[in-house]
Amino acid sequence: MIGFIIRRLLYGVITLLIISVASFLMVQAPPGNALTAEIQQLQSRGGTVPQEQITALEARYGLNDSFVTQYWKWAGGFARGDLGYSFSQKEEVADLISGRLGYSIMLSFGALMIAWLIAIPVGVYSATHRYSLPDNLVTSVQFIGVAIPEFLLALIILVIASRWLNLDVGGLFSRDYVNAPWSFGKFTDLLSHAWVPMVIIAAGGTAGLTRVMRANLLDVLNQQYIQTARAKGVIERRVIWKHAVRNAFHPLVMALGGVLPALIGGEAIVSVVLNLPTIGPLFLTSLTEQDLYLSASLLVVLSGLLIVGNLLADLALGWLDPRVRAVD
């Protein structure tokens, strides 16, 4: 297992290096940057920016250097924790990301846990009660959950909560705790607000995972070893949960690597609607503002989450099925 983990870590480091080069290249490809946009805005408001000041800023941030030079400056700083300066947000990139990344990971993992806790038992029940009324009802709910966009569901819940339930669902904190230092009261206030975006983000994933669990379990239940266990008199609950579910669980574990970035994408849409201080809206702003250091750093961070998700999926799959370690 140790060799398995080492190989996966090496693959992850190489992949992240390639992604960092591609991200920096894609962000730098469009003409202009956040500094030129800021100068144009100042000039459009009647302000004057001396050419000497423009030249000094360009030299300070290496905007006239070659791509290789700019990349190595940024990559070297990234390795030291210095991610550069955000022209659009007027703040250090590391501070911007650290202040929002925790909320994004909390919402994404919370949504993932909700999705799995619902999808697994519902999928098992649906597969073991095939074509019954509850199975048909679950299938209908699954189609609705997959079809409804996250932003529409967020708007519906926002209207219901504010108009009929008299709840404040905008943001992650109440007004009294937005700028307050961390305390037990602020933590409980966070939990009272965080469940709404978690449920919204988990809605689509829950529907999809339930369908996957149902389909996989139906295939496994037709295998000969399941019929043999039943013929030996093993109680049905033990046959389902010990033998069938464990093998039907493999595709859900394999999908874990892609779930994290998908949840981050859903989190971005929901965060814009609910005004949440997370990575998603910041990433959208950095792209529209052509903020080089901020957008490139966020791309690498999101790619790192994808690699971590795949690593966790590989480890979980290797634990469930030792054959994976043998053929790796």
Side-chain angles (χ1 to χ4, degrees), residues 111-178:
L112 181 62
M113 292 299 102
I114 292 173
W116 277 33
L117 289 175
I118 296 175
I120 294 174
V122 172
V124 171
Y125 181 86
S126 182
T128 53
H129 296 76
R130 190 178 183 184
Y131 300 137
S132 63
L133 179 60
D135 180 36
N136 293 330
L137 180 61
V138 168
T139 302
S140 301
V141 174
Q142 289 170 357
F143 282 121
I144 296 174
V146 172
I148 296 180
E150 287 89 352
F151 76 90
L152 180 59
L153 184 60
L155 288 174
I156 293 174
I157 293 181
L158 184 64
V159 172
I160 293 175
S162 60
R163 180 168 297 183
W164 287 289
L165 300 180
N166 197 25
L167 295 176
D168 181 17
V169 296
L172 289 176
F173 299 99
S174 303
R175 295 179 180 178
D176 297 335
Y177 288 101
V178 172

Side-chain angles (χ1 to χ4, degrees), residues 177 179-183 186:
Y177 288 101
N179 298 318
W182 278 101
S183 62
K186 185 171 183 177

